[in-house]
Amino acid sequence: MTSTAQAPQSGARTAQPEHLGHVIFIAAAAAMGGFLFGYDSSVINGAVEAIRDRYDIGSAALAQVIAIALIGCAIGAATAGRIADRIGRIRCMQIAAVLFTISAVGSALPFALWDLAFWRVVGGFAIGMASVIGPAYIAEVAPPAYRGRLGSFQQAAIVVGIAISQLVNWGLLNASGGDQRGKLMGVEAWQVMLGVMVVPAVLYGLLSFAIPESPRFLLSVGKRERAREILAEVEGKEIDLDARVAEIELAMKSEHKSSFKDLLGGSFFFKPIVWVGIGLSVFQQFVGINVAFYYSSTLWQSVGVDPTDSFFYSFTTSIINIVGTVIAMIFVDRVGRRPLALIGSVGMAVGLALEAWAFSYDLVDGKLPSTQGWTALIAAHVFVLFFALSWGVVVWVMLGEMFPNKIRAAALGVAAAAQWIANWAITASFPSLADWNLSGTYVIYTVFAALSIPFVLKFVKETKGKSLEEMG
């Protein structure tokens, strides 16, 4: 008998936990890694020009310092699944929290450029771990009926982290008199911006002690009774616990042996489903979303906006990001994953095309003409809104759901690593591309947004409402 056939017998698909608030707390605590991911990814936005000035470096070198954290992210993402399978999801979260804390202190007090780059790699490794463990853990503890909404907590935490980092940066910039290198607490303002991440990093570590281990991991190490307790806690006592445990164990007979070689097959090295996961990850990044979070202050300053206003626009963009994410959380289990992705692709293509048009005009007295300036600003917000209500949430939810049990851990690690490599490619190339042709750069992002539409239509299958044991 297959695990798909057993799913209705346990009642897992329609399970209703007695204490939904507790399940929400568990998901939110796990998603705190997403908050750190968002905060760390975006906080560098406030330090870019200060780093350029302090170390007297050009666009290419600056891009490598900003983007090098993403190499650490790719390594962390690629190894997190195996680490979590060996020592547990919670221990993995705690390791990430410690690395986040160390990275924040080191980044705030660098004595050389290479030193700053090293601490960014350490923080990147922690982000990569959190990017895999968060959605995987939430998918494993969430009742199927709520999994899409709870899975979207990861992206919600990311966008809140982005917004808080921009608000903190804006406040610190004002406190230092509008100068990123102005003195605050005995160091330069940008150093304080990077050091503030110690606070959420410690909170993440503390919250990891307040949530239970994944039932699937507990079953993999023989702790059946504890797994039963947690399943009753998160899925409801009315389910048939014996059938549910048997269902998961049957699915895990191959899952716990998941390795890279399990992903191989088909005509092009990887199995087709793995390529779909990689494609989702790459398209999510190749539309240029992280340019909006790593470089937006620099971007607006390059077209004539003063530094304080550029920080404020970065903050308003991050608020729009939150609004879009809330919309996605409301509709991801109602409308489905594919329709949201398609809606987002169309909206992103329009927003990016308008930005490309606006940036094609020459600056007048160091600024874009008024019409083009406002068009660029509004289009940037439109782009972020449509990304947030679609690809920002949908990709993380689907990567936690779409792979068969046999390959889930390894496939999720590969897809997340591909996402970080794509993120690095966009982040490292933007300063040089912008120096070459800012409008042309946005044309490239527009093309990828448009290409994501046929990709979703042809290759992406809906996962709404299915239990993890039904994915193969």
Side-chain angles (χ1 to χ4, degrees), residues 155-241:
Q155 181 65 16
I158 291 170
V159 299
V160 170
I162 290 170
I164 296 297
S165 74
Q166 296 308 297
L167 182 60
V168 170
N169 282 0
W170 183 56
L172 291 172
L173 185 70
N174 279 289
S176 64
D179 182 3
Q180 294 176 33
R181 298 198 61 191
K183 290 293 182 181
L184 278 178
M185 294 183 276
V187 294
E188 296 180 6
W190 69 273
Q191 294 175 264
V192 180
M193 293 175 187
L194 299 183
V196 167
M197 199 178 71
V198 166
V199 177
V202 171
L203 180 59
Y204 179 45
L206 294 175
L207 284 172
S208 71
F209 287 97
I211 58 178
E213 184 54 85
S214 158
R216 284 174 178 76
F217 174 74
L218 292 170
L219 288 172
S220 75
V221 294
K223 298 183 178 179
R224 289 173 59 93
E225 282 308 308
R226 180 57 181 151
R228 282 169 57 93
E229 291 172 13
I230 295 169
L231 284 168
E233 186 181 318
V234 299
E235 294 191 358
K237 295 177 181 176
E238 77 279 2
I239 68 169
D240 184 336
L241 288 174

Side-chain angles (χ1 to χ4, degrees), residues 352 355-361 430 433-434 436-448:
L352 288 165
E355 284 193 84
W357 171 80
F359 291 138
S360 69
Y361 282 75
F430 177 75
L433 283 174
W436 161 68
N437 189 316
L438 186 58
S439 177
T441 303
Y442 274 84
V443 168
I444 294 170
Y445 301 154
T446 304
V447 169
F448 281 110

Side-chain angles (χ1 to χ4, degrees), residues 31 34-35 149 151-162 322 325-326 329 392-393:
F35 179 93
R149 279 164 284 183
S152 63
F153 276 28
Q154 172 81 357
Q155 181 65 16
I158 291 170
V159 299
V160 170
I162 290 170
I322 293 176
T325 302
V326 170
M329 292 174 71
V393 166

Side-chain angles (χ1 to χ4, degrees), residues 244-323:
R244 185 70 177 118
V245 168
E247 173 185 304
I248 294 172
E249 286 183 327
L250 181 63
M252 285 174 55
K253 282 182 180 177
S254 56
E255 180 183 9
H256 77 279
K257 296 177 182 177
S258 172
S259 66
F260 185 80
K261 66 182 179 182
D262 292 322
L263 308 182
L264 307 181
S267 304
F268 300 98
F269 193 68
F270 287 129
K271 292 178 177 177
I273 189 65
V274 180
W275 280 117
V276 174
I278 291 171
L280 285 169
S281 291
V282 169
F283 273 116
Q284 189 200 50
Q285 296 302 314
F286 275 15
V287 296
I289 185 61
N290 280 306
V291 168
F293 300 127
Y294 294 156
Y295 295 116
S296 58
S297 294
T298 298
L299 174 66
W300 296 125
Q301 289 173 48
S302 74
V303 293
V305 176
D306 73 65
T308 303
D309 284 346
S310 74
F311 273 54
F312 179 71
Y313 292 148
S314 296
F315 174 62
T316 59
T317 303
S318 64
I319 294 299
I320 293 294
N321 199 14
I322 293 176
V323 172

Side-chain angles (χ1 to χ4, degrees), residues 83 92 115 128 175 218 248 250 299 310 312 322 358 389 401 420 459 463:
I83 294 171
C92 208
D115 177 46
L218 292 170
I248 294 172
L250 181 63
L299 174 66
S310 74
F312 179 71
I322 293 176
L389 65 80
E401 295 178 335
W420 290 117
F459 299 112
T463 57

